[in-house]
Amino acid sequence: MNPVYLQELTYLSVLLRRAMEYVISFFVNTLFSGFCLWAGMKITKVNGSFIAMLIIAGVSSLFGFIPTVGGIIGTIVMFILINKWTDAEFWPDSVLM
């Protein structure tokens, strides 16, 4: 076997493994965050659907992958989408959710 070919296969396998880690991380984060948002919505007695909470969690998780500022942007997007897709007020409902 050609050593360069083996090195390229190693790089490709590492790249695919990292991509799968990001995909699995995204789905686990979305499901967990969506469930937490739904539970917070039930506790604060806000009207909304579980699917909307999953979409909000997924979109904010995507923004969370941006290096350095992703967490802040994801949180802002989450608050905006919660206020848009539910009958929650910013304070206290959205913050407590």
Side-chain angles (χ1 to χ4, degrees), residues 26 29-30 57-66 70 74:
F26 170 74
N29 189 13
T30 299
V59 171
S60 63
S61 292
L62 284 176
F63 280 104
F65 281 120
I66 299 172

Side-chain angles (χ1 to χ4, degrees), residues 19-90:
M20 286 303 297
E21 288 173 0
Y22 279 117
V23 168
I24 291 169
S25 169
F26 170 74
F27 283 114
V28 168
N29 189 13
T30 299
L31 286 174
F32 182 73
S33 297
F35 177 75
C36 289
L37 283 173
W38 178 77
M41 182 182 67
K42 293 300 179 187
I43 291 170
T44 57
K45 295 181 177 50
V46 173
N47 291 327
S49 68
F50 182 70
I51 299 298
M53 296 303 113
L54 281 178
I55 293 171
I56 291 170
V59 171
S60 63
S61 292
L62 284 176
F63 280 104
F65 281 120
I66 299 172
T68 309
V69 296
I72 296 168
I73 294 173
T75 303
I76 292 169
V77 167
M78 181 184 66
F79 284 142
I80 290 170
L81 291 177
I82 286 172
N83 287 330
K84 185 176 211 116
W85 289 349
T86 65
D87 61 350
E89 298 291 327
F90 179 75

